[in-house]
């Protein structure tokens, strides 16, 4: 990518898209195209077709998606499958129509089977049954991967797909019902400390294990792959390390300085027992994550405090 190439970042206000914008701006890119949802509804095929025909971007980062934590996936499955399929179909097909040089599609580690062997290698895709709470979202993401690969095969495009682990950082969603676990616990524990509560409730048993990647590291990896990877096969992006949800809660307690007790609500779903990515392919290409979980949580907590509504 040249510094003045036209680069469209779909989803530039979200957790991932905003981190990619920060990265590209820091690298000196000057021609970044952004559209808010009000300006361009990505679910609307005609609007997306017109946008691509007018703007004709050179490169596309497809970071726009309907996302949420385990509860949001569970209660809005129709929105998750419909909106994600629409957004990605509209963008990928129109990128091909106007001759985009390269597109990077962001998937998710939930595309792998619920009870997959750990750590999860790229080739485990479609080898088993998915986790039911996020199956509609995962099916949409799998369709996106297959769409990129099929277009490469039939039309000779260069559309790559990457599978990030659970992400966190600036511009995340801190809504207590719909967010992912890390921002939810940051907010719950922060509020518990502020209100002198003696306990904080964590959903599930606390036993599931998750891998967390600071989103600025993700943006760095995505930038690296946009320049150095041109293959059909998907690439995992993660740290290669995971922790128990109960350990995450203790770590966030330590960062925030909350001295109360963590209690578990086992009536809430645990989801997949473990979701650790095998990142040997990405490491072999020459990229490694470098923000520790504790540092990432500290930075995110500072951002959260500075940006409280
Ligand atoms: O982050 P999370 O919602 O996503 O939940 P998943 C991870 C684990 O944390 C689950 C537990 O075992 C939750 O039960 N947890 C504990 C909590 N307390 C809380 C809380 O207050 N809020 C939330 N949200 N969880 C999502 C998928 O799965 O991960 C998406 O549903 C996507 O499709 C995303 O793949 C990365 O890792 O379980």
């Amino acid at each position: 990518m040249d510094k003045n190439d036209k680069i469209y970042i779909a989803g530039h206000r979200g957790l991932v898209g905003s981190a990619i914008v920060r990265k590209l701006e820091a690298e000196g890119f000057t021609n970044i195209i952004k559209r808010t949802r009000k300006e361009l509804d990505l679910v609307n095929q005609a609007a997306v077709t017109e946008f691509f025909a007018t703007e004709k971007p050179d490169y596309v980062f497809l970071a726009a998606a309907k996302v949420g934590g385990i509860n949001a996936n569970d209660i809005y499955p129709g929105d998750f499958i419909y909106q994600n399929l629409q957004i990605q179909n509209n963008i990928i097909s129109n990128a091909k129509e106007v001759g985009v040089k390269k597109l990077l599609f962001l998937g998710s580690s939930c595309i792998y089977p619920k009870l997959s062997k750990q750590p999860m290698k790229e080739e485990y895709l479609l080898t088993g049954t998915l986790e039911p709470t996020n199956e509609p979202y995962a099916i949409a993401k799998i369709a996106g991967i297959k769409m990129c690969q099929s277009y490469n095969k039939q039309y000779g495009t260069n559309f790559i797909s990457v599978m990030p682990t659970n992400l966190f950082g600036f511009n995340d969603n801190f809504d207590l019902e719909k967010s992912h676990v890390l921002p939810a616990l940051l907010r719950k524990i922060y509020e518990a400390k502020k209100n002198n509560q003696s306990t904080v409730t964590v959903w599930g048993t606390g036993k599931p294990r998750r891998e967390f990647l600071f989103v600025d590291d993700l943006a760095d990896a995505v930038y690296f792959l946009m320049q150095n990877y041109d293959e059909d096969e998907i690439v995992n992006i993660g740290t290669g390390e995971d922790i128990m949800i109960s350990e995450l809660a203790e770590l966030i307690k330590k960062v925030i300085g909350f001295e109360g007790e963590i209690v578990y609500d086992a009536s809430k779903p645990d989801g997949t027992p473990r979701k650790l990515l095998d990142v040997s392919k990405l490491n072999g290409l020459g990229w490694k994550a470098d923000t520790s979980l504790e540092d990432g949580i500290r930075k995110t907590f500072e951002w959260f405090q500075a940006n409280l509504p």
Side-chain angles (χ1 to χ4, degrees), residues 109 112-113 115-125 127 165 211 236 238-242 274-281:
S109 61
Y112 294 113
L115 300 176
S116 171
K117 208 160 77 180
Q118 306 284 322
M120 303 184 294
K121 290 183 185 295
E122 286 84 354
E123 63 256 35
Y124 299 169
L125 175 63
T127 57
T165 188
E211 175 187 10
N236 290 338
T239 61
E241 287 170 24
D242 63 357
R274 195 173 184 200
K275 242 188 328 186
L276 176 65
L277 291 177
D278 183 314
V279 288
S280 48
K281 182 168 172 178

Side-chain angles (χ1 to χ4, degrees), residues 19-137:
I20 297 174
V21 171
R22 280 197 296 283
K23 174 67 185 169
L24 292 182
E25 286 179 349
E27 294 290 337
F29 287 85
T30 54
N31 199 358
I32 300 173
I33 315 284
K34 308 167 193 167
R35 290 288 184 280
T36 62
R37 187 171 309 179
K38 231 172 144 189
E39 291 163 342
L40 174 63
D41 176 7
L42 294 170
V43 171
N44 180 332
Q45 188 181 23
V48 176
T49 301
E50 192 191 326
F51 164 77
F52 270 86
T54 310
E55 290 296 340
K56 298 191 177 62
D58 297 304
Y59 293 89
V60 174
F61 289 88
L62 206 179
K66 167 86 178 162
V67 297
I70 191 164
N71 187 47
N73 272 268
D74 209 20
I75 57 184
Y76 307 114
D79 294 347
F80 274 79
I81 192 159
Y82 173 71
Q83 292 183 28
N84 284 305
L85 284 171
Q86 287 289 103
I87 292 169
Q88 68 205 34
N89 281 345
N90 290 341
I91 293 179
I92 296 168
S93 62
N94 281 294
K96 173 232 146 198
E97 285 307 316
V98 305
V100 163
K101 290 181 192 148
K102 187 164 179 179
L103 174 146
L104 183 145
F105 172 66
L106 281 132
S108 163
S109 61
C110 69
I111 57 150
Y112 294 113
K114 174 182 172 106
L115 300 176
S116 171
K117 208 160 77 180
Q118 306 284 322
M120 303 184 294
K121 290 183 185 295
E122 286 84 354
E123 63 256 35
Y124 299 169
L125 175 63
L126 293 174
T127 57
T129 309
L130 298 163
E131 153 64 25
T133 54
N134 61 33
E135 189 185 53
Y137 176 75

Side-chain angles (χ1 to χ4, degrees), residues 68-70 73 108 110 134 137 166 179-181 184-185 188 202-203 208 210 245 269-270 275:
I70 191 164
N73 272 268
S108 163
C110 69
N134 61 33
Y137 176 75
N166 290 37
S179 72
H180 290 100
V181 61
L185 293 189
K188 278 188 199 174
V202 170
W203 295 350
R210 292 289 184 275
I245 296 301
D270 268 346
K275 242 188 328 186

Side-chain angles (χ1 to χ4, degrees), residues 219-280:
D220 198 63
V222 150
Y223 178 65
F224 171 83
L225 290 168
M226 196 57 146
Q227 293 171 102
N228 296 295
Y229 188 75
D230 294 316
E231 308 294 322
D232 258 353
E233 290 312 315
I234 61 177
V235 186
N236 290 338
I237 306 180
T239 61
E241 287 170 24
D242 63 357
I243 64 167
M244 256 167 53
I245 296 301
S246 56
E247 295 170 320
L248 175 73
E250 291 303 323
L251 186 56
I252 296 177
K253 256 178 77 171
K254 177 179 147 197
V255 168
I256 295 183
F258 173 65
E259 281 165 7
E261 202 195 327
I262 302 288
V263 295
Y264 293 91
D265 176 1
S267 71
K268 291 279 201 294
D270 268 346
T272 311
R274 195 173 184 200
K275 242 188 328 186
L276 176 65
L277 291 177
D278 183 314
V279 288
S280 48

